[in-house]
Amino acid sequence: MKILVLLKQVPDSDEVKLNPETGTMIREGVGTVINPLDLHALEAALRIKETGDHSVTVVSMGPPVAEEAVKEAIAMGADRAVLLTDRKFAGADTWATAMALARFAELKGPFDLILAGEKATDGETGQVGPETGAMLGIPVATYVSRIVKLDESGITIEREVEDGKEVWKLPLPSLVSVTKDVNEPRLPTLNGKKLARKASVERIGNDFLGIDPSEIGLKGSPTRVVRIGTPKLSRKVEMYEGSKIRDGIDEIKKRLVPYLEVNHE
Amino acid sequence: MSDLLVIAERRGNEIHSSTFELLGKARELSIKRPLAVSVVLLSDKRIEGDEANALFSGGADRIILAVDGSFGRFNFEPFTKTLAAIVREFAPEIVLAPATTSGRTYMPGLAALLKTGLTADCTGLDIEEETGNLLQTRPAIGGNVMATIKTPNHRPQMATVRPKTFSALKEAYQSKGELVHFDVTPDLTQTVAKLIEFHPIGEGQKGVQDAEVIIAGGMGLRKVENMQPIYRLSKMINGTIGASRKIVDSKWIGHEAQVGLSGHTVKPKIYIAAGISGAVQHIAGMQTAEFIVAINRDRNAAIFNFADIGLVGDAVEILNELAESLESEVKR
Ligand SMILES: Cc1cc2nc3c(=O)[nH]c(=O)nc-3n(C[C@H](O)[C@H](O)[C@H](O)COP(=O)(O)OP(=O)(O)OC[C@H]3O[C@@H](n4cnc5c(N)ncnc54)[C@H](O)[C@@H]3O)c2cc1C
Ligand SMILES: Nc1ncnc2c1ncn2[C@@H]1O[C@H](COP(=O)(O)O)[C@@H](O)[C@H]1O
């Protein structure tokens, strides 16, 4: 089976800056790592690979610096790594990102199973997975906490939702986005790291994907960041400390008394 | 008049509160720009009279009901295809859905099919009067900034909103109330994905999102055994336990208790933060509480900037004292 993992690279630190003009993130000069939640998607793929004759391709759309992050996936055991990189892709929102990923999956596929992370730690939207699935016209399962079974007839998964746990069987091809409960990702091995150093990451631009320029990058993004502000959230606090602590406790108590269970022994 | 579409969420046999919160916000937006508010319900059964009335008085001018056997639980393909057909027919300017596990899944699917923008987890929504552009505000970069996002050239404009972010109408909306049946053709619901089992979560487990009183613990409790006073207190007052990400990551408690950017947004009457530093990502989930109590050993902890009352001292000692004091109240 051919498995594709969607990997995003995210800034290595919390100190991300925004371009005040476009409202997009400035990624230059910040180290990148694989989005931690995507490591679970990669791990799920690698575990499937270990059960038979399967191949794992990872793909990421991002600037050339993302190559390091993608190589890390090779160090962990992926067979092939692809970076979709092109100046024209810059500034993409989730729609334009999914567009590029979906087109790649179409042209280099078909893939039997596509795995994504729950969400990226920088954008935090969780939209790219289901958008990609919808563009490819395949079934999607999100919030997957366990992969129960995979064979030619389909994939059986558990997904965790607000009111319980569901078990679904999806046909192949399908797209599945996993949560961090699905597994514990492995660390790269020394051997893997050596392999990764030598491995080449395949770079693909829009020349190959051939997407209409109006559907990629900032130009192809329906959404625009128009303002960046700092969260305003402040209250006037009454402080209790030292000998006043008792009063503070009484103050909390007063507010909690109405909630006391009357039947309490 | 064009439409603002709210996608309703059914949980078991009830319409989920998030639907009424979105309707409340929709009515507010319709003051700024004349928009008819429609609510879409995908359901596996016909709607009861009470249910329809609740939606009308909750703020809907129109209910668009799509009934099909496959709508019992959320399923990606039937939902996205049917919703896309509904949006094409009614051509709304705006589509709002709850940021629940299902809303967060069908909305991206829908945005992909409709070729339009989608903003996740909005905490603020407003309308630019001249253009009708929806101003969608959401926390970005780990909650460190608030970004306002527009979808200037595409329609509809789509956003998801976390439950408990907005408030339902306080007074019933007087509407003439039109109920429209949307004809679900078989091609819309064709799918091979099959639900095999469903295991509901245990009864009586009140989710942190619906809690009236939350007692939340953080790393300042220092060890898992020190969660005890939190359990004790919460039992006495029928409260719910919340948590910072650090103690969830340390496996002191499950993720369902996590409050914040990557956890739940909560809106209780009282929120007690014990041993929580007040990182922006935590604040993002609890600032909507009505009354906030902070307990922290460090008098400069950020959490005090967001609290109504603050106690400087050891969280475990203070919680224990509080529990004892409440206990004596019960015995009296
Ligand atoms: C993208 C992203 C998303 C995130 N999402 C979330 C989220 O959803 N929710 C969340 O909570 N965090 C989230 N975080 C993590 C967040 O940044 C903080 O790391 C976390 O909230 C800190 O948890 P804490 O306050 O329990 O621990 P700490 O920051 O370690 O604070 C412990 C506090 O306890 C106090 N203390 C120590 N001893 C005592 C004592 N004996 N008595 C009383 N007080 C004491 C200390 O003074 C300190 O203020 C996120 C981070 C990122 C980058
Ligand atoms: N630029 C990208 N390249 C590859 N995969 C991505 C990219 N952006 C997002 N993804 C995938 O989509 C998931 C959700 O990301 P997001 O919608 O940005 O929160 C991630 O966990 C990845 O699996």
Side-chain angles (χ1 to χ4, degrees):
Chain A
M1 249 178 243
K2 276 177 76 175
I3 303 167
L4 179 67
V5 184
L6 309 183
L7 288 186
K8 187 175 191 179
Q9 8 66 57
V10 294
D12 199 3
S13 73
D14 293 344
E15 301 289 301
V16 197
K17 296 217 167 56
L18 287 177
N19 178 335
E21 302 265 290
T22 59
T24 52
M25 283 177 220
I26 300 173
R27 296 173 190 278
E28 287 79 30
V30 201
T32 58
V33 293
I34 298 180
N35 173 34
L37 287 166
D38 297 352
L39 290 174
H40 298 272
L42 177 58
E43 178 67 31
L46 295 174
R47 289 192 189 180
I48 294 167
K49 182 186 161 183
E50 284 159 6
T51 66
D53 185 22
H54 308 298
S55 73
V56 175
T57 302
V58 301
V59 64
S60 188
M61 185 186 98
V65 292
E67 194 170 295
E68 288 312 306
V70 182
K71 272 192 175 171
E72 173 107 8
I74 301 259
M76 287 172 67
D79 300 296
R80 212 169 125 222
V82 180
L83 182 65
L84 307 181
T85 189
D86 195 317
R87 248 162 225 264
K88 301 193 196 85
F89 294 155
D93 71 356
T94 62
W95 193 93
T97 303
M99 185 68 192
L101 294 170
R103 182 61 62 86
F104 167 80
E106 243 163 38
L107 294 178
K108 291 278 181 171
F111 291 95
D112 302 288
L113 177 65
I114 303 181
L115 289 160
E118 180 191 341
K119 58 186 172 191
T121 54
D122 56 353
E124 287 243 305
T125 77
Q127 290 173 186
V128 170
E131 284 187 322
T132 306
M135 286 175 183
L136 290 167
I138 59 178
V140 171
T142 50
Y143 302 95
V144 169
S145 54
R146 199 159 86 88
I147 295 176
V148 184
K149 194 170 166 220
L150 173 72
D151 59 31
E152 302 300 325
S153 74
I155 182 167
T156 308
I157 54 93
E158 257 176 38
R159 67 189 293 264
E160 234 151 295
V161 297
E162 290 84 358
D163 58 349
K165 195 179 279 179
E166 300 173 342
V167 182
W168 286 84
K169 175 148 186 195
L170 309 182
L172 299 179
S174 278
L175 185 144
V176 164
S177 76
V178 299
T179 68
K180 64 171 185 277
D181 295 325
V182 79
N183 53 39
E184 268 318 316
R186 70 195 62 193
L187 294 169
T189 61
L190 206 58
N191 207 17
K193 280 191 173 161
K194 269 192 224 146
L195 265 174
R197 225 170 292 137
K198 277 183 273 164
S200 65
V201 172
E202 189 181 346
R203 292 192 183 191
I204 288 183
N206 200 44
D207 288 348
F208 177 80
L209 296 185
I211 305 171
D212 189 304
S214 70
E215 296 190 329
I216 48 170
L218 186 63
K219 222 162 135 201
S221 298
T223 61
R224 283 283 180 285
V225 177
V226 290
R227 198 167 57 231
I228 296 290
T230 38
K232 58 152 185 25
L233 7 109
S234 216
R235 297 183 188 224
K236 234 181 125 152
V237 63
E238 187 147 347
M239 296 292 277
Y240 297 89
E241 56 187 312
S243 57
K244 287 263 209 58
I245 280 287
R246 234 355 299 167
D247 298 342
I249 293 176
D250 282 341
E251 196 56 44
I252 311 175
K253 175 178 158 187
K254 219 163 61 197
R255 296 188 174 262
L256 290 183
V257 163
Y259 295 95
L260 278 175
E261 297 265 284
V262 226
N263 303 338
H264 200 275
E265 33 90 57
Chain B
M1 193 165 24
S2 52
D3 268 39
L4 185 161
L5 218 67
V6 168
I7 302 176
E9 174 137 326
R10 176 127 54 181
R11 236 4 114 65
N13 279 324
E14 275 168 37
I15 305 273
H16 189 245
S17 50
S18 58
T19 305
F20 297 101
E21 294 157 17
L22 290 177
L23 284 172
K25 188 67 191 183
R27 287 263 61 102
E28 210 181 292
L29 293 172
S30 74
I31 297 169
K32 277 214 150 170
R33 183 176 173 86
L35 290 164
V37 176
S38 293
V39 60
V40 181
L41 179 65
L42 268 52
S43 172
D44 60 347
K45 48 182 173 285
R46 306 233 132 215
I47 185 169
E48 305 282 333
D50 293 356
E51 224 166 34
N53 287 336
L55 289 170
F56 287 134
S57 51
D61 296 304
R62 184 203 284 141
I63 298 173
I64 301 169
L65 180 66
V67 179
D68 188 84
S70 64
F71 295 151
R73 291 197 70 80
F74 166 66
N75 183 354
F76 185 74
E77 288 183 298
F79 267 65
T80 48
K81 283 188 195 153
T82 307
L83 288 169
I86 290 174
V87 169
R88 287 195 179 110
E89 178 167 333
F90 291 88
E93 279 186 24
I94 297 170
V95 179
L96 304 178
T100 52
T101 53
S102 26
R104 277 191 177 131
T105 310
Y106 62 70
M107 284 293 266
L110 194 55
L113 297 181
L114 298 170
K115 212 178 152 178
T116 190
L118 168 63
T119 306
D121 292 347
C122 296
T123 53
L125 290 175
D126 200 356
I127 286 188
E128 215 173 48
E129 270 161 85
E130 322 82 75
T131 58
N133 282 336
L134 185 66
L135 300 170
Q136 311 159 106
T137 303
R138 71 178 302 251
I141 324 192
N144 291 302
V145 299
M146 299 299 285
T148 300
I149 293 162
K150 268 202 259 196
T151 311
N153 305 316
H154 296 69
R155 292 292 180 270
Q157 311 167 81
M158 304 192 13
T160 63
V161 177
R162 287 182 167 207
K164 302 285 171 192
T165 302
F166 299 132
S167 304
L169 291 183
K170 297 220 160 53
E171 274 168 48
Y173 176 65
Q174 308 290 334
S175 92
K176 289 189 282 300
E178 177 196 11
L179 178 70
V180 181
H181 290 271
F182 181 82
D183 186 23
V184 185
T185 50
D187 57 304
L188 296 176
T189 54
Q190 229 169 41
T191 175
V192 232
K194 230 171 63 203
L195 178 67
I196 299 174
E197 285 166 36
F198 174 63
H199 309 277
I201 47 170
E203 289 279 327
Q205 252 175 278
K206 201 169 9 144
V208 70
Q209 286 185 60
D210 298 316
E212 285 205 18
V213 182
I214 296 174
I215 309 171
M219 219 52 213
L221 295 172
R222 297 190 311 276
K223 48 183 184 189
V224 62
E225 296 82 64
N226 285 340
M227 293 284 285
Q228 214 39 53
I230 291 197
Y231 284 104
R232 179 175 168 201
L233 267 171
S234 116
K235 201 166 159 211
M236 291 170 70
I237 57 164
N238 195 16
T240 304
I241 297 169
S244 75
R245 179 157 111 179
K246 271 202 188 167
I247 73 165
V248 171
D249 285 349
S250 310
K251 302 220 158 44
W252 294 4
I253 190 162
H255 182 261
E256 69 283 351
Q258 185 175 318
V259 173
L261 194 65
S262 43
H264 297 290
T265 303
V266 299
K267 205 175 185 177
K269 297 229 156 59
I270 303 174
Y271 188 90
I272 302 179
I276 293 177
S277 59
V280 281
Q281 296 90 356
H282 188 81
I283 302 298
M286 46 70 88
Q287 46 160 321
T288 33
E290 253 171 57
F291 191 83
I292 297 173
V293 178
I295 306 171
N296 197 302
R297 203 174 50 181
D298 171 11
R299 76 172 321 281
N300 295 317
I303 189 80
F304 290 128
N305 298 330
F306 308 99
D308 296 289
I309 62 178
L311 279 71
V312 183
D314 180 71
V316 182
E317 271 174 33
I318 290 174
L319 290 175
N320 273 327
E321 247 180 86
L322 176 63
E324 253 136 58
S325 166
L326 276 167
E327 211 133 73
S328 63
E329 195 72 26
V330 176
K331 294 216 173 92
R332 257 211 324 236

